[in-house]
Amino acid sequence: MQNMQNNQNPNEFRRLNPRLDFNFKGIFTQDRPESRLALKSFLSAMIGEEVTEVTVKENEPAGQYEEQRGIRYDINCVFTDGTKAQIEMQGYDRETDYGRRAEYYVSRLVSSVSTKGDDWGNLPRAYQISVLNFKYDSGNESFLHRYVLADMTDGATLEGVINVIFLELPKLPPVNDNTDIESLPSAVKWGKFIQEADNPDKQDLIDRLSKSEEGIMSADAMLRSLNDTDWRWIEQGKIFGDECDRITGLHNAERRGERNRALSAARNFLALHVATNEQIAQAVGLPLEEVEKLAAEPAVQGM
């Protein structure tokens, strides 16, 4: 078992990637004081007000590995006043119309606490909180968005029961050695921790963030403890491999599409007899030999 761990984690300074869903949830859902403190600190930073007590709700079946059984793949939690929150980490842009998805999830949170005969004044708030490792709104450079139901004409809001919060990591402001970490908003600190915690070149930054925010210090301690779990390194490797396969497949499909379009254009040029083979090859981006083969095809010669 020790050899497997060394193969998966050869660098003693290497950290698991917290932008992967199961590692992110592993930080916040453990039955440990550090995990609870990290969760309260993160929620406070996202919501913009202090969260003092929160309970994580069980919502997932047992995992494939014995050690996975304590991990929830969506963090569903409830505050002492009944406020409900769901937290998700989206490491990749799957182009799934994420805004609509978030609205659907928060509506489910609200409907799950309302029952027949309730006093509407007792309806608790609901938050759908997403950390996005991609730009959701490329036309807006704000990194933190707190959406509520609002009047489109004057911006007047309703009661704030429905809340959707997006933290977009690629939009975070740059932080360097000269940055006053203490002066940064908590949301920026948390975003930078999630963005850089596994980067061996950014461990000085992670140390500075941890010293400035107790919740981040607890999250860093949790992430370090997760490093010793073999199945996480195995699963992380599988996810990276699957993502490489997906991207390679997309690129290959694009290349096949480009080639097919070039072949079609070359055939059209050849049929028109308006250019030499050399000119056609240069115009469509195909090798001259390939254009000459096309010119020799009976279908082209018969046009």
Side-chain angles (χ1 to χ4, degrees):
M1 183 64 73
Q2 185 64 39
N3 289 338
M4 180 189 296
Q5 179 172 328
N6 289 339
N7 288 338
Q8 300 298 327
N9 184 11
N11 188 331
E12 63 177 318
F13 297 109
R14 190 179 174 194
R15 300 284 181 268
L16 286 163
N17 183 349
R19 296 171 304 286
L20 293 181
D21 186 76
F22 65 96
N23 290 333
F24 179 83
K25 278 45 178 298
I27 294 172
F28 296 110
T29 61
Q30 305 298 308
D31 188 18
R32 291 176 52 177
E34 301 95 328
S35 186
R36 291 293 181 263
L37 178 58
L39 179 58
K40 288 187 288 187
S41 174
F42 174 80
L43 285 169
S44 298
M46 295 299 101
I47 293 173
E49 58 186 67
E50 185 178 7
V51 175
T52 57
E53 293 296 334
V54 62
T55 302
V56 177
K57 309 299 289 185
E58 183 97 29
N59 69 329
E60 291 290 339
Q64 176 181 356
Y65 300 97
E66 181 69 26
E67 298 92 336
Q68 283 180 287
R69 294 181 180 177
I71 305 301
R72 288 85 174 180
Y73 286 85
D74 290 319
I75 303 177
N76 283 344
C77 49
V78 61
F79 306 169
T80 53
D81 65 356
T83 297
K84 302 190 77 172
Q86 182 198 55
I87 310 170
E88 286 199 77
M89 175 73 232
Q90 290 292 314
Y92 301 106
D93 184 4
R94 301 298 190 189
E95 298 182 350
T96 54
D97 206 346
Y98 196 79
R100 291 176 182 267
R101 174 179 167 176
E103 288 183 310
Y104 170 71
Y105 280 148
V106 75
S107 67
R108 287 182 60 187
L109 281 180
V110 174
S111 63
S112 70
V113 297
S114 60
T115 59
K116 184 177 180 180
D118 272 351
D119 182 337
W120 290 117
N122 296 328
L123 190 65
R125 291 173 297 169
Y127 291 90
Q128 201 288 329
I129 303 170
S130 295
V131 181
L132 307 179
N133 196 32
F134 57 89
K135 291 185 178 183
Y136 169 71
D137 184 357
S138 298
N140 188 323
E141 284 306 308
S142 296
F143 62 88
L144 182 64
H145 293 274
R146 296 186 176 113
Y147 302 102
V148 295
L149 291 179
D151 190 312
M152 295 180 64
T153 57
D154 59 13
T157 61
L158 289 178
E159 298 299 319
V161 171
I162 294 178
N163 300 267
V164 174
I165 299 174
F166 287 171
L167 175 63
E168 300 176 59
L169 299 182
K171 296 181 181 179
L172 288 168
V175 174
N176 54 45
D177 293 341
N178 298 321
T179 302
D180 180 6
I181 297 295
E182 295 288 345
S183 67
L184 292 176
S186 291
V188 174
K189 295 179 186 179
W190 270 105
K192 283 297 181 182
F193 170 77
I194 296 167
Q195 191 177 46
E196 303 289 5
D198 59 325
N199 186 343
D201 297 327
K202 296 292 185 177
Q203 292 309 299
D204 286 344
L205 171 60
I206 300 305
D207 290 341
R208 293 167 64 201
L209 291 170
S210 296
K211 291 175 181 177
S212 72
E213 196 106 356
E214 188 178 7
I216 294 178
M217 181 179 293
S218 295
D220 189 40
M222 286 302 307
L223 186 60
R224 290 172 185 266
S225 71
L226 297 179
N227 282 341
D228 296 329
T229 313
D230 291 331
W231 70 261
R232 290 185 181 277
W233 289 102
I234 296 171
E235 287 298 301
Q236 179 167 297
K238 288 180 180 177
I239 290 172
F240 286 159
D242 289 345
E243 186 64 12
C244 287
D245 289 345
R246 186 184 73 87
I247 292 173
T248 300
L250 290 175
H251 288 171
N252 286 340
E254 290 174 359
R255 284 191 285 267
R256 285 194 296 272
E258 291 173 358
R259 173 174 168 75
N260 289 337
R261 286 190 291 272
L263 290 171
S264 177
R267 289 190 177 96
N268 289 337
F269 279 128
L270 289 168
L272 293 172
H273 304 289
V274 295
T276 66
N277 290 351
E278 290 82 359
Q279 290 171 328
I280 294 173
Q282 185 176 7
V284 302
L286 288 174
L288 176 59
E289 295 80 5
E290 198 151 7
V291 174
E292 291 175 341
K293 288 181 180 178
L294 290 175
E297 289 179 354
V300 172
Q301 291 181 341
M303 288 183 178

